[in-house]
Amino acid sequence: MALKTYNPVTPSQRQLVLVDRSGLHRGPPVKTLTEGKNSPGGRNNNGRITVRFRGGGHKRAYRSIDFKRRKFDVPAKVERIEYDPNRTAFIALISFEDGAKSYILAPQRLAAGDKVVAAEQADIKPGNAMPLQAIPVGTIVHNIEIKIGKGGQVARSAGTYAQIVGRDGEYVILRLNSAEQRLVHGRCMASIGAVSNPDNMNISIGKAGRKRWMGRMPHNRGVSMNPIDHPHGGGEGRTSGGRHPVTPWGFPTKGKKTRRNKSTTKFIIMSRHARKKR
């Protein structure tokens, strides 16, 4: 997909850069593969705002994506590539030989009419899925499981991927886009290829209203508030806050390490921060 610019007949179109989606399916999704989606507006089950600056936005239907790819040895044909408003990547509608249909994340270079399959052993071509232990070293993969059978959790966003760089017993060594190298069990599933829509990173929104359509409300800086509203607030004129950056509740931010899951530290061979320290 290419990028699309506009003749600036309005001020907002002067900066606007979007992804050209003319090659995607035009029409509604498969209704049996969708479900309703509520817009919580950043509120939890008690009605309290836990994520600020969320609200409004266009109504969406959630497309049920098959992240597990556990329907083994049943070939499927790609019927079409679709836009999904709930994610940055495109999705592909596949139809199995037994008549079932499902949505999967569309990798790059996957087109309508192609064949995909999930199996213990399959061809190394975009869209196929298999356990990591069966994929050759050096292969680009996406939609990678961290826990066996849980479904893909890593490399699902537009243009992302991971690379298999080695093996260690029953584990596989993955290098992620962040430069982190991590051990993942060889029985975990992964899909071949990089996720579609790599030009998503080059989008320019163009105007504040387009962010409102996405459900994002204006974000207020702490230094522009009063002292009662934020620790950075107050001061005569513009100030930088006068202290290390903190959240509205006083917790350090912008550089403060927040990782607490020590039980999985043993699976990280090289931290994504190691490159910065050199």
Side-chain angles (χ1 to χ4, degrees):
M1 293 289 175
L3 293 173
K4 183 168 61 172
T5 57
Y6 294 81
N7 185 33
V9 295
T10 63
S12 62
Q13 288 181 330
R14 190 170 299 277
Q15 320 296 334
L16 184 61
V17 179
L18 297 178
V19 173
D20 183 13
R21 299 198 290 259
S22 58
L24 301 182
H25 168 71
R26 292 178 179 271
V30 178
K31 194 168 185 179
T32 55
L33 297 177
T34 62
E35 55 188 77
K37 182 180 180 183
N38 293 327
S39 178
R43 290 163 174 80
N44 63 7
N45 59 343
N46 293 320
R48 298 190 178 101
I49 294 179
T50 54
V51 182
R52 299 183 301 160
F53 314 120
R54 299 289 185 269
H58 202 287
K59 187 176 182 180
R60 304 173 181 176
Y62 181 77
R63 280 77 165 164
S64 298
I65 310 295
D66 180 13
F67 292 115
K68 294 187 176 182
R69 302 295 300 272
R70 291 278 171 178
K71 192 163 185 174
F72 286 163
D73 302 318
V74 183
K77 180 181 178 181
V78 178
E79 290 196 3
R80 63 198 189 204
I81 308 295
E82 295 187 16
Y83 167 74
D84 188 349
N86 304 296
R87 64 192 72 254
T88 55
F90 299 139
I91 58 176
L93 176 66
I94 61 175
S95 178
F96 293 94
E97 288 187 348
D98 60 3
K101 295 187 178 187
S102 70
Y103 281 121
I104 63 170
L105 291 181
Q108 298 175 31
R109 298 189 301 278
L110 186 73
D114 292 348
K115 293 291 184 76
V116 296
V117 66
E120 292 289 342
Q121 295 283 344
D123 294 336
I124 306 301
K125 50 185 282 189
N128 285 354
M130 64 188 83
L132 286 168
Q133 62 190 6
I135 303 177
V137 173
T139 306
I140 298 297
V141 293
H142 69 280
N143 189 36
I144 307 155
E145 287 183 338
I146 294 294
K147 296 182 179 180
I148 300 171
K150 187 175 182 180
Q153 293 178 273
V154 175
R156 302 190 335 189
S157 183
T160 58
Y161 60 88
Q163 186 176 23
I164 300 176
V165 295
R167 304 189 189 280
D168 185 1
E170 60 182 5
Y171 286 87
V172 170
I173 304 174
L174 287 177
R175 182 168 63 224
L176 310 181
N177 272 349
S178 61
E180 175 179 300
Q181 292 190 17
R182 190 181 185 96
L183 289 172
V184 181
H185 200 282
R187 286 167 52 202
C188 289
M189 294 290 291
S191 301
I192 307 297
V195 185
S196 56
N197 195 20
D199 282 326
N200 182 75
M201 63 181 293
N202 299 317
I203 286 177
S204 176
I205 296 298
K207 63 179 182 179
R210 188 174 295 275
K211 270 295 181 185
R212 300 305 301 268
W213 301 341
M214 298 177 181
R216 298 294 189 265
M217 297 174 67
H219 188 290
N220 311 111
R221 296 168 300 133
V223 293
S224 67
M225 302 181 188
N226 292 320
I228 196 172
D229 299 316
H230 200 284
H232 296 170
E236 295 296 329
R238 294 182 177 177
T239 63
S240 60
R243 61 183 292 180
H244 188 79
V246 294
T247 67
W249 305 276
F251 296 106
T253 184
K254 291 188 177 179
K256 172 70 174 178
K257 292 184 178 180
T258 58
R259 178 175 167 80
R260 296 180 181 177
N261 191 359
K262 296 180 180 179
S263 63
T264 58
T265 302
K266 60 186 177 183
F267 296 113
I268 300 176
I269 297 177
M270 181 184 295
S271 170
R272 64 191 176 95
H273 304 290
R275 193 172 52 173
K276 303 175 185 177
K277 297 177 181 178
R278 293 176 183 174

